[in-house]
Amino acid sequence: MPRPRGLLLTATLAAALLVPPTARAQEQPPVERTWYGWQNLIGLGAAYSLGALDLALDSRWAPLTIASIGTYALSSPIIHMVHGNRLEAGASFGLNLGVPFVTGLLGAFLYCSAVDCRYKATRDISTGAMIGGLAGMLTANVIDVAFLAVEKVESPTPSVANPFALEAARYRPLFQAGWQF
């Protein structure tokens, strides 16, 4: 038969171990998710414009090609870093390089299997790789802009002193223009 003193000591010790170490007296501030994908779209628009200019000039000008590829690969990760989203920046960089590479290989394989690349292999492989790579670039951009370009911002708490007062914190505008980078 257990002793009452030992049972009380065991119950007290168990209760002390099961209690959370911090008190939760205050509620966490509300968090709002804001989308900054429009900034990524500006960078991607510049990258695609440089690429289109390079193709239109048909000069195979190396600085223009390097600028286009560099802007494509680095604009979104830099924008994520500026917003303080390091994980999203790494994911964006991986998407920008990895997805077009994999889909380019897949496009070259599928194009060659459909056309039979035995005699003119170099041109057909590069055509398939280009088509697959472009599809991968667009896919990576959609994933980046739609899912990764979101940041969490603490929303202001409205005051409850006068419920009929018009305050900027109580209403979200339908259209808003501003510059924050």
Side-chain angles (χ1 to χ4, degrees):
M1 181 104 189
R3 298 162 112 184
R5 186 173 177 194
L7 188 60
L8 181 62
L9 183 62
T10 305
T12 305
L13 183 61
L17 290 175
L18 292 176
V19 172
T22 58
R24 298 179 189 231
Q26 293 182 351
E27 206 175 290
Q28 296 292 330
V31 175
E32 220 174 67
R33 295 175 62 92
T34 58
W35 180 72
Y36 59 89
W38 62 272
Q39 295 171 352
N40 296 25
L41 289 173
I42 291 172
L44 293 171
Y48 285 123
S49 297
L50 286 171
L53 181 63
D54 185 30
L55 289 175
L57 292 177
D58 195 31
S59 62
R60 305 203 192 293
W61 192 46
L64 196 55
T65 304
I66 291 170
S68 173
I69 293 170
T71 304
Y72 165 77
L74 297 176
S75 64
S76 290
I78 289 172
I79 291 168
H80 289 303
M81 288 294 283
V82 167
H83 284 276
N85 298 332
R86 287 180 282 179
L87 183 64
E88 285 82 357
S92 176
F93 187 70
L95 280 171
N96 286 346
L97 295 181
V99 174
F101 179 74
V102 170
T103 56
L105 290 176
L106 184 64
F109 175 74
L110 290 175
Y111 195 83
C112 271
S113 66
V115 177
D116 190 25
C117 293
R118 278 187 255 171
Y119 302 108
K120 44 188 176 171
T122 306
R123 193 181 95 217
D124 288 338
I125 289 174
S126 63
T127 302
M130 276 289 228
I131 293 169
L134 285 174
M137 287 172 68
L138 292 174
T139 302
N141 296 153
V142 168
I143 292 170
D144 187 10
V145 169
F147 299 110
L148 298 180
V150 178
E151 68 181 336
K152 295 176 184 170
V153 179
E154 289 184 19
S155 62
T157 55
S159 63
V160 290
N162 185 0
F164 299 109
L166 296 175
E167 298 172 358
R170 292 182 59 200
Y171 300 99
R172 290 185 74 178
L174 289 175
F175 300 100
Q176 182 176 356
W179 302 99
Q180 180 183 6
F181 193 75

